[in-house]
């Protein structure tokens, strides 16, 4: 009885690479033959059948397969140093591959912003001979991946960072941290707010920001609640956009109270309305200090005109440009997104507004006082906070 021939296993990428080798016109005939051997063996052909198809003796076929099993495709296709073609890719060739990977494909005439392994390999194959790296005209995707991994280059990924565009970044950050440091001294070791003295100038400190573009989205059919057959809520993929709203929020950093104002927009008039809300909330003899960003409406002509009507009432500490992470209200917005806004569906925009106000009511039932810790040990609390009472006009 005949015995079934053993096979070798090729990945999709390896098979594609070998098929490319069999069609190439610029490589040695023996390389083409060896590529055919591996493809035929992967398809289950016997040693005798392969030898007959590639017109080689049985020993040469077995040697090629053994070299594959020992060291992979490159080892099987190309002879080791001293025996004809060198299978090793030189450092100069690797450097050329890396130099291509470190460029954007769009800068080389492609539509893509970042490389895929297939596109990068295709480009290398196409231009290798022109660049004097003929050996690389048939390099495989797997080999390109190995070279990039060894160099710790990931041209298919984007890692975001924040460019420092504020020449006064360090000074402004220090000023914000000074506010937080002085706040930390207003709490006892149990985290309880210490009472103000009779002669103290009371300053209410708030972290303020806007969250614009919150979408009101409606479903086109009712959600299906979990039951015996479905472990999750089931929802139709289709939805309807009902418009957007903006949320203006201040977090009282001494009490943890979250103060909302929901509007259709977030222009100067909306911001002034929020300031008036604060003015009516706190005793008139107290100061209100806001930590906020450099959005233009915060120092617009309209805003400065309003502040001139309440001289000395408000103080402003501006975060550096691209320093919104210094603003503690961002943590509240993140928590709100996770707890309430994620996946929310409403029937009307008014319902979204009502549910946002409801969320604030729930949050204020057990308010959380936000504390800052990063780099506070480096801050001298006896310094004087630099504040603005009637901010000059700024660019956003």
């Amino acid at each position: 009885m005949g015995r079934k021939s053993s096979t070798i296993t090729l990945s999709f990428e390896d098979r594609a690479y070998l098929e490319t080798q069999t069609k190439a016109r610029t490589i040695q005939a023996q390389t083409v033959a060896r590529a055919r051997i591996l493809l035929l063996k992967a398809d289950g052909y016997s040693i005798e059948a392969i030898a007959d198809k590639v017109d080689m003796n049985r020993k040469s076929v077995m040697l090629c397969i053994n070299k594959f099993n020992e060291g992979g495709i490159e080892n099987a296709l190309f002879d080791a140093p001293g025996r004809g073609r060198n299978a090793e890719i030189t450092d100069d060739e690797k450097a050329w591959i890396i130099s291509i990977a470190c460029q954007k494909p769009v800068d080389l005439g492609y539509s893509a912003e970042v490389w895929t392994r297939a596109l990068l390999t295709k480009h290398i194959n196409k231009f290798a001979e022109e660049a004097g790296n003929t050996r690389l005209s048939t390099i495989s995707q797997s080999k390109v991946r190995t070279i990039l991994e060894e160099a710790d280059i990931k041209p298919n990924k984007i890692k975001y960072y924040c460019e420092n565009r504020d020449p006064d970044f360090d000074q402004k950050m220090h000023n914000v941290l000074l506010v937080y440091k002085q706040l930390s001294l207003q709490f006892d070791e149990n985290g309880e707010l210490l009472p103000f003295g009779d002669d103290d100038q009371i300053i209410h400190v708030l972290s303020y920001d806007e969250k614009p573009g919150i979408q009101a989205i409606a479903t086109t059919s009712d959600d299906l609640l979990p039951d015996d057959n479905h472990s999750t809520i089931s929802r139709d993929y289709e939805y309807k956009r009902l418009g957007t709203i903006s949320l203006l929020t201040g977090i009282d950093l001494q009490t943890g109270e979250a103060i909302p104002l929901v509007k259709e927009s977030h222009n100067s008039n909306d911001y002034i309305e929020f300031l008036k809300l604060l003015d009516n909330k706190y005793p008139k003899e107290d100061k209100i200090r806001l930590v906020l960003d450099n959005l233009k409406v915060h120092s617009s002509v309209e805003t400065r005109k309003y502040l001139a009507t309440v001289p000395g009432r408000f103080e402003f500490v501006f975060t550096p440009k691209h320093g919104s992470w210094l603003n503690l209200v961002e943590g509240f917005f993140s928590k709100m997104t996770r707890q309430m806004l994620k996946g929310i569906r409403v029937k009307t925009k008014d319902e979204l507004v009502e549910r946002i106000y409801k969320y604030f009511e729930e949050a204020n039932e057990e308010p959380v006082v936000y504390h800052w810790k990063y780099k506070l040990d480096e801050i001298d609390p006896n310094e004087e906070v630099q504040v603005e009472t009637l901010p000059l006009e700024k660019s956003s």
Side-chain angles (χ1 to χ4, degrees), residues 177 180 184 325-328 370-376:
L177 297 186
Y180 295 155
S184 68
W325 52 275
L326 285 166
N327 207 340
L328 282 167
Y370 289 77
H371 296 286
W372 187 274
K373 296 182 180 179
Y374 177 67
K375 287 193 172 183
L376 279 199

Side-chain angles (χ1 to χ4, degrees), residues 112-221:
E113 180 74 9
V114 297
W115 292 108
T116 62
R117 196 185 309 156
L119 179 59
L120 178 58
T121 304
K122 179 181 177 182
H123 181 87
I124 292 170
N125 293 159
K126 182 177 180 180
F127 293 100
E129 188 171 358
E130 178 182 316
N133 299 309
T134 304
R135 161 73 182 85
L136 302 180
S137 62
T138 56
I139 192 172
S140 67
Q141 289 187 36
S142 59
K143 188 62 178 178
V144 170
R145 178 186 62 188
T146 300
I147 291 171
L148 295 180
E149 287 178 348
E150 290 175 351
D152 195 25
I153 300 294
K154 301 177 177 66
N156 61 318
K157 295 183 179 295
I158 297 176
K159 184 177 181 180
Y160 290 89
Y161 73 101
C162 188
E163 180 72 16
N164 185 354
R165 296 189 178 93
D166 192 334
D168 300 321
F169 187 96
D170 291 339
Q171 183 271 325
K172 290 179 180 178
M173 180 176 74
H174 180 88
N175 198 43
V176 172
L177 297 186
L178 178 57
V179 172
Y180 295 155
K181 180 69 173 183
Q182 293 180 354
L183 270 172
S184 68
L185 300 180
Q186 296 182 20
F187 294 86
D188 63 21
E189 59 184 12
N190 297 318
E192 298 295 327
L193 184 66
L194 298 171
F196 291 100
D198 294 336
D199 298 329
D200 291 339
Q201 168 65 68
I202 298 177
I203 302 176
H204 303 276
V205 185
L206 294 97
S207 173
Y208 170 83
D209 201 3
E210 299 92 358
K211 187 176 180 62
I214 301 175
Q215 292 197 57
I217 300 176
T219 56
T220 56
S221 58

Side-chain angles (χ1 to χ4, degrees), residues 254-265:
Q254 287 139 320
T255 66
E257 181 183 359
I259 304 165
L261 177 64
V262 181
K263 303 293 292 185
E264 293 284 334
S265 57

Side-chain angles (χ1 to χ4, degrees), residues 4 8 30 34 46 52 85 93 254 284 326 380:
K4 184 177 180 180
I8 60 176
Q30 69 176 8
R34 292 170 181 176
S46 66
D52 182 61
R85 185 169 182 174
E93 289 171 331
Q254 287 139 320
K284 296 298 183 181
L326 285 166
D380 180 2

Side-chain angles (χ1 to χ4, degrees), residues 244-277:
T244 62
I245 54 95
S246 293
L247 172 63
L248 291 70
T249 299
I251 304 295
D252 188 315
L253 299 182
Q254 287 139 320
T255 66
E257 181 183 359
I259 304 165
L261 177 64
V262 181
K263 303 293 292 185
E264 293 284 334
S265 57
H266 60 293
N267 56 31
S268 295
N269 291 331
D270 299 322
Y271 175 58
I272 292 170
E273 184 177 341
F274 189 86
L275 294 180
K276 290 180 178 179
L277 187 155

Side-chain angles (χ1 to χ4, degrees), residues 184-349:
S184 68
L185 300 180
Q186 296 182 20
F187 294 86
D188 63 21
E189 59 184 12
N190 297 318
E192 298 295 327
L193 184 66
L194 298 171
F196 291 100
D198 294 336
D199 298 329
D200 291 339
Q201 168 65 68
I202 298 177
I203 302 176
H204 303 276
V205 185
L206 294 97
S207 173
Y208 170 83
D209 201 3
E210 299 92 358
K211 187 176 180 62
I214 301 175
Q215 292 197 57
I217 300 176
T219 56
T220 56
S221 58
D222 293 338
D223 288 345
L224 303 178
L225 301 181
D227 55 24
D228 293 340
N229 299 318
H230 303 89
S231 59
T232 66
I233 295 173
S234 298
R235 174 174 289 168
D236 194 327
Y237 281 103
E238 292 189 4
Y239 58 88
K240 182 180 180 181
R241 298 182 188 273
L242 305 176
T244 62
I245 54 95
S246 293
L247 172 63
L248 291 70
T249 299
I251 304 295
D252 188 315
L253 299 182
Q254 287 139 320
T255 66
E257 181 183 359
I259 304 165
L261 177 64
V262 181
K263 303 293 292 185
E264 293 284 334
S265 57
H266 60 293
N267 56 31
S268 295
N269 291 331
D270 299 322
Y271 175 58
I272 292 170
E273 184 177 341
F274 189 86
L275 294 180
K276 290 180 178 179
L277 187 155
L278 297 181
D279 184 43
N280 293 326
K281 177 178 178 61
Y282 294 105
K284 296 298 183 181
E285 64 274 13
D286 297 348
K287 285 186 179 294
I288 302 171
R289 179 177 293 173
L290 297 181
V291 177
L292 70 172
D293 62 24
N294 293 269
L295 191 66
K296 190 172 182 178
V297 300
H298 298 162
S299 52
S300 66
V301 173
E302 295 87 349
T303 298
R304 287 182 287 125
K305 285 181 178 179
Y306 165 71
L307 292 174
T309 67
V310 285
R313 176 64 160 159
F314 291 94
E315 295 180 346
F316 302 95
V317 176
F318 290 97
T319 60
K321 294 178 182 178
H322 293 277
S324 61
W325 52 275
L326 285 166
N327 207 340
L328 282 167
V329 71
E330 296 293 338
F332 179 86
F333 283 155
S334 177
K335 183 178 179 180
M336 178 181 179
T337 299
R338 296 192 308 271
Q339 293 183 341
M340 180 249 178
L341 293 178
K342 182 180 179 182
I344 191 170
R345 294 294 184 267
V346 293
K347 293 181 173 62
T348 64
K349 188 189 290 188

